[in-house]
Structure formats: structure tokens, C-alpha cells
Amino acid sequence: MSDAYDYFREHAIAAVRKARTLPPGRPRQKQRTVARVYHLLSKEAALTPNLHHLDDFRAARRLERQIRR
């Protein structure tokens, strides 16, 4: 299930890059939290393939969409 690992890792890298471009404040902190969630999901996906990761991923994506507003 290395595909899931790679997928989550790419999202983590993109989220970190986005956080770096944001000005200091609450949105930046939230974006960094999203990046941490993606990073943890990639670690878990590397160890054990699990469909429950998708639910966590969807929750992180919803939070990321809220930050954009």
C-alpha cells in the first residue's frame, strides 16, 4: 500500500508549503496542523494498510477547505 503512503506524503508536503506562504496567525497554525495530520496518516499508511485512513484524510481535507475561506 505504498501508493497511500506516497499520496498522503505529497499532501503533507503541499500543506507545509502552503503554511509557509501564509502570514503568521491562526490560519497558518491550522494549516500546519493539517500538515501534521497528513504526515501522521502517511506514517500509518506505511506501516499498515487501512481504510480508516480515508475517513481521517477526508476530515483533514474539509478542515483545509475551511482555512481557505
Side-chain angles (χ1 to χ4, degrees):
M1 191 92 185
S2 69
D3 292 338
Y5 167 76
D6 294 333
Y7 186 72
F8 291 141
R9 182 160 168 80
E10 288 301 317
H11 276 283
I13 292 169
V16 167
R17 287 181 180 157
K18 182 179 176 184
R20 288 179 182 164
T21 63
L22 292 172
R26 189 76 173 142
R28 185 176 186 163
Q29 290 174 345
K30 286 183 180 180
Q31 186 65 37
R32 288 184 53 124
T33 301
V34 168
R36 280 189 225 117
V37 168
Y38 289 146
H39 182 71
L40 290 174
L41 286 172
S42 70
K43 282 183 168 183
E44 288 181 5
L47 296 175
T48 58
N50 192 342
L51 291 178
H52 297 293
H53 294 140
L54 293 176
D55 295 333
D56 297 334
F57 174 73
R58 289 182 185 123
R61 291 291 290 189
R62 278 193 299 270
L63 178 61
E64 193 171 15
R65 281 189 223 117
Q66 290 176 354
I67 294 170
R68 290 182 192 163
R69 293 181 189 167

